[in-house]
Amino acid sequence: MKKKLLFFAITCLIGSGIVSVSLNSAKSYPDGAPSSVAGAPNDNNKTCAKSGCHPGTATAIFDVITSDVPVTGYVPGDTYTITATVTDPALVKFGFEITPQSATGSLLGTMALSDAVKTKFTSSSNKYITHTTNGTSFPDHTGTWSFNWTAPAAGTGDVTFYGAFDFSNNNGGTSGDVTYSSTLTIPEAFGVGINEVVEINSLTVFPNPATDHVIITYYLKQQQPVTISLYDIAGKRISQLTNETQQAGTYNISYPLDKIESGLYVVRLETGKQSFSRKVVKL
């Protein structure tokens, strides 16, 4: 069973390469980022913006990491295809670093290269995957990278993928580059037999694009706490629509958009163990 996760993942990309700054010296990394800058908690949430490569701080963004893994979760031992995609109509330089690990720093599952031309591991531990020199230039303004991930043993529980993202303006320096961070948490599938019918949570937003309102529809397979929020594309919460425990069933929520500006937003539904995000365009 193949799955796909979409990521935006960037490293300290400057001009034609990657630069790490330590004390008063600068060291170039044109062939991939150094380890431990994906924003994982055991790495002190360090990203390029926090390691000295770029000014400022990393901005959290949502819905840059998506997956077709069923909401029932990953199957231990199955191999999934992970794909990172970044797009900016004004930029042609991108890079990435991704790691799936626990809060204590343990690598969860096993990553394997599927495209050695564009991707590589930062070290022999295969804990962080990044781009190669050939995997940084994208004249069509869209960068894509893929690798394989084999899910960990049964009983591992939720797996979080951490990514740090830098959009480079390719001016030969750090000025003008923007760093982002994002995560995706995938639950483990528990207790699903071959002949069982699995009722799953879902989330749809209609119409999309929208002008004055949207209808948010979702299904709960069991009673659970539900939080629904609206975020702008930079990760700032605009409003909280719902925050309560709800019974199993189908729900329809009408949310007015007349008081927000035109642009791209994210509707995010969070339950006890899962989260779902959908982009919505306000015209």
Side-chain angles (χ1 to χ4, degrees), residues 62-262:
F62 297 99
D63 208 35
V64 296
I65 303 173
T66 61
S67 168
D68 65 354
V69 174
V71 293
T72 50
Y74 66 82
V75 176
D78 274 12
T79 298
Y80 304 84
T81 298
I82 312 302
T83 301
T85 304
V86 295
T87 300
D88 191 301
L91 304 178
V92 295
K93 283 283 188 175
F94 305 99
F96 80 99
E97 180 165 298
I98 294 171
T99 181
Q101 59 176 269
S102 68
T104 58
S106 297
L107 177 64
L108 298 179
T110 304
M111 295 189 293
L113 299 181
S114 60
D115 185 354
V117 174
K118 292 183 179 180
T119 61
K120 59 176 285 187
F121 290 109
T122 64
S123 67
S124 59
S125 67
N126 293 1
K127 188 175 181 179
Y128 304 88
I129 192 167
T130 184
H131 59 270
T132 64
T133 301
N134 291 329
T136 62
S137 297
F138 298 93
D140 61 354
H141 309 288
T142 297
T144 60
W145 308 266
S146 294
F147 62 94
N148 296 325
W149 175 68
T150 301
T156 299
D158 293 356
V159 173
T160 297
F161 285 81
Y162 298 91
F165 319 103
D166 173 65
F167 287 64
S168 173
N169 63 1
N170 196 25
N171 68 349
T174 62
S175 63
D177 294 354
V178 180
T179 304
Y180 298 99
S181 65
S182 191
T183 62
L184 174 68
T185 299
I186 304 175
E188 177 182 357
F190 287 103
V192 180
I194 295 177
N195 297 318
E196 290 185 64
V197 177
V198 181
E199 296 178 336
I200 64 173
N201 298 302
S202 62
L203 174 66
T204 60
V205 180
F206 180 85
N208 191 9
T211 54
D212 54 357
H213 77 285
V214 291
I215 302 297
I216 302 168
T217 302
Y218 57 97
Y219 174 78
L220 302 179
K221 64 178 180 180
Q222 62 187 22
Q223 177 181 305
Q224 55 194 300
V226 174
T227 300
I228 302 177
S229 302
L230 182 71
Y231 294 86
D232 64 20
I233 196 62
K236 178 182 178 181
R237 188 165 69 183
I238 304 300
S239 64
Q240 187 176 80
L241 287 63
T242 299
N243 184 18
E244 62 183 8
T245 297
Q246 297 180 338
Q247 301 295 320
T250 300
Y251 291 80
N252 296 282
I253 297 178
S254 178
Y255 180 73
L257 301 177
D258 56 313
K259 294 184 179 180
I260 65 174
E261 297 180 354
S262 299

